[in-house]
């Protein structure tokens, strides 16, 4: 007679799962705003929309919900190989939150999905702490999520992440690109490094070079792992700073998050018909990591600018009159290095080089 089976023998230990779940509520509560309504042991997260409280220092008259979802991609392979899982949660938040910002939205709530082959309370808590850190930086609340244990689906020690952000914007304030005009200036906000894109190529370059993740690279001033695991910059506070400084005038006409496709494919997504962007080479500082990877892999410039952000994590298209003051504001008050990197010209929704 064959031995009887139970859930644990199939790869899922419910007692360990309960231990994991017990570690997460404090990491969530530290992100809560007064709008979060706690539902102990509930099946969903609750968030109050209070029309008496102005969001982004504005009063919402016709609020529109803005939603985005994303993951971290093969950057997770680096985290697993290095045994460092504390920052990929920040990446997860950043990828969805920065997308919502492109619509002019204020991020309100965040949900996460963590999937792994075997329940690991310490690992899950480390990942979710990073997500919690990211939510604090993004000024949104982590109000729920899912931890999925999928035996035989992932290799031991591997996991995957998905994130979901919900924000709000007044309908009249949606940044849909309709106000972009010829002569508008293009402002680039510095990335913190690779962010979370191009890692299949970056990993292949490093692997072929034979460098270990703990190897120190003088050109970078840090180890390979330190550079590759630098978390994605979250741009919520810089954009809020701009909007609070220009309360009446609508200075920002468009925002593009520079992810996969780089500076070539992403900025045109916000342009109306009949317009293009002309970028000026050398108008911003390209971080050393990009030239280091380019040299190691022998990657041509067009491929680099198509795959990586090349030091620009977010692009703002702004009224020409305000461009210089916005750049000063970003550099001095928001502490994000920023440059005027181009302008809007007549064209066919593409990017040209000066």
């Amino acid at each position: 007679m064959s031995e009887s089976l139970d859930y644990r023998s199939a790869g899922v230990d419910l007692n360990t799962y309960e231990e994991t779940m017990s570690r997460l509520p404090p990491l969530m509560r530290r992100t809560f705003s007064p709008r979060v309504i706690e539902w102990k042991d509930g099946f969903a997260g609750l968030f109050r929309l209070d029309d008496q409280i102005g969001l982004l220092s504005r009063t919402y008259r016709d609020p529109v919900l803005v939603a985005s979802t994303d993951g971290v991609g093969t950057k997770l392979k680096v985290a697993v190989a290095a045994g460092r899982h504390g920052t990929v949660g920040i990446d997860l938040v950043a990828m969805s939150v920065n997308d919502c910002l492109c619509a002019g939205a204020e991020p309100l709530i965040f949900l996460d999905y963590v999937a792994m082959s075997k329940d690991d309370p310490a690992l899950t808590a480390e990942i979710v702490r990073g997500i919690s850190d990211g939510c604090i930086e993004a000024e949104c609340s982590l109000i729920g999520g899912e931890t999925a244990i999928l035996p035989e689906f992932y290799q031991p020690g591997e996991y995957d992440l998905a994130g979901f952000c919900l924000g709000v914007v007044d309908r009249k304030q949606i940044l849909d690109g309709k106000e972009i005009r010829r002569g508008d200036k293009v402002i680039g906000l510095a990335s913190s490094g690779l962010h979370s894109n191009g890692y299949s190529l970056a990993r292949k370059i490093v692997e072929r070079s034979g460098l270990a993740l703990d190897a120190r690279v003088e050109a970078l001033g840090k180890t390979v792992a330190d550079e590759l695991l630098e978390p994605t910059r979250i741009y919520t506070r810089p954009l809020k700073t701009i909007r609070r400084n220009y309360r009446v005038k609508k200075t920002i006409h468009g925002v593009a998050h520079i992810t996969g496709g780089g500076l070539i494919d992403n900025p045109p997504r916000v342009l109306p018909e009949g317009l293009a962007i002309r970028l000026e080479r050398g108008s911003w500082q390209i971080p050393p990591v990009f030239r280091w990877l380019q040299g190691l892999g022998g990657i041509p410039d067009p491929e680099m600018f198509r795959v990586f952000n090349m030091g620009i994590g977010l692009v703002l298209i702004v009224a020409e009159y305000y461009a210089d003051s916005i750049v000063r504001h970003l550099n001095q008050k928001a502490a994000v290095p920023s440059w005027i990197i181009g302008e809007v010209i007549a064209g066919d929704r593409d990017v040209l080089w000066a």
Side-chain angles (χ1 to χ4, degrees):
M1 186 176 186
S2 60
E3 183 179 354
S4 63
L5 297 174
D6 58 15
Y7 212 7
R8 184 175 182 180
S9 66
V12 181
D13 188 330
L14 291 177
N15 291 330
T16 305
Y17 184 80
E18 288 180 6
E19 180 186 346
T20 298
M21 293 301 100
S22 69
R23 300 187 183 204
L24 304 187
L27 299 177
M28 296 171 64
R29 289 193 190 97
R30 65 194 286 261
T31 72
F32 286 0
S33 73
R35 295 187 183 90
V36 176
I37 300 173
E38 291 200 56
W39 180 12
K40 182 176 173 55
D41 300 325
F43 291 91
L46 305 177
F47 189 91
R48 182 185 180 203
L49 293 175
D50 187 344
D51 63 3
Q52 300 304 310
I53 301 176
L55 305 177
L56 281 176
S57 301
R58 300 184 306 222
T59 299
Y60 277 73
R61 303 186 184 280
D62 187 5
V64 175
L65 294 178
V66 179
S68 180
T69 181
D70 209 336
V72 181
T74 59
K75 189 172 187 175
L76 295 179
K77 287 279 191 181
V78 181
V80 170
R84 293 166 52 176
H85 313 281
T87 59
V88 288
I90 299 174
D91 293 298
L92 184 68
V93 175
M95 295 305 288
S96 289
V97 163
N98 288 343
D99 279 352
C100 282
L101 295 176
C102 293
E106 175 190 22
L108 297 179
I109 61 176
F110 192 82
L111 303 173
D112 63 47
Y113 172 83
V114 182
M116 55 184 63
S117 62
K118 181 180 179 182
D119 209 343
D120 186 331
L123 173 60
T124 304
E126 187 176 2
I127 294 168
V128 176
R129 175 168 289 279
I131 297 172
S132 176
D133 290 342
C135 285
I136 290 174
E137 179 65 24
E139 298 185 358
C140 64
S141 299
L142 177 61
I143 65 170
E146 167 70 3
T147 302
I149 307 304
L150 307 175
E152 302 175 359
F153 200 88
Y154 296 101
Q155 295 296 318
E158 291 189 344
Y159 57 89
D160 198 11
L161 304 177
F164 312 86
C165 178
L166 184 67
V168 64
V169 62
D170 200 311
R171 187 172 179 177
K172 290 185 177 181
Q173 299 295 327
I174 294 174
L175 296 177
D176 55 10
K178 291 180 180 178
E179 297 195 23
I180 296 176
R181 298 289 183 267
R182 184 176 177 179
D184 281 355
K185 295 299 183 181
V186 179
I187 295 175
L189 279 68
S191 68
S192 56
L194 295 179
H195 282 187
S196 298
N197 296 103
Y199 272 79
S200 294
L201 177 57
R203 287 172 43 247
K204 181 67 68 175
I205 292 171
V206 172
E207 179 183 321
R208 196 173 71 174
S209 75
L211 282 170
L213 288 176
D214 60 358
R216 181 176 175 81
V217 178
E218 292 307 317
L220 304 177
K222 60 181 72 172
T223 67
V224 175
D226 286 341
E227 184 63 67
L228 296 186
L229 291 175
E230 182 70 32
T232 304
R233 175 168 271 150
I234 296 172
Y235 296 95
T236 302
R237 288 173 178 167
L239 290 190
K240 282 189 175 183
T241 299
I242 294 173
R243 290 195 177 100
R244 285 169 179 160
N245 192 61
Y246 303 92
R247 294 177 181 270
V248 179
K249 299 292 185 180
K250 191 171 183 180
T251 58
I252 300 176
H253 294 166
V255 179
H257 184 196
I258 309 305
T259 56
L263 284 165
I264 305 303
D265 292 344
N266 288 292
R269 294 169 61 181
V270 304
L271 292 175
E273 295 294 336
L275 296 178
I277 286 175
R278 180 170 59 209
L279 297 180
E280 184 178 343
R281 295 184 186 275
S283 57
W284 74 92
Q285 295 177 9
I286 297 178
V289 61
F290 297 103
R291 295 310 185 196
W292 173 71
L293 286 172
Q294 184 175 22
L296 278 181
I299 312 299
D301 261 8
E303 183 73 358
M304 290 295 296
F305 279 88
R306 190 76 180 268
V307 174
F308 300 111
N309 66 59
M310 298 303 287
I312 300 296
L314 200 74
V315 159
L316 308 184
I317 300 176
V318 307
E320 181 181 13
Y321 181 82
Y322 296 101
D324 289 330
S325 64
I326 289 175
V327 168
R328 286 196 301 271
H329 203 77
L330 287 167
N331 280 293
Q332 296 171 9
K333 295 188 177 180
V336 177
S338 304
W339 309 268
I340 296 176
I341 64 173
E343 65 179 336
V344 177
I345 61 174
D348 190 22
R349 300 187 74 226
D350 55 4
V351 170
L352 307 172
W353 293 97

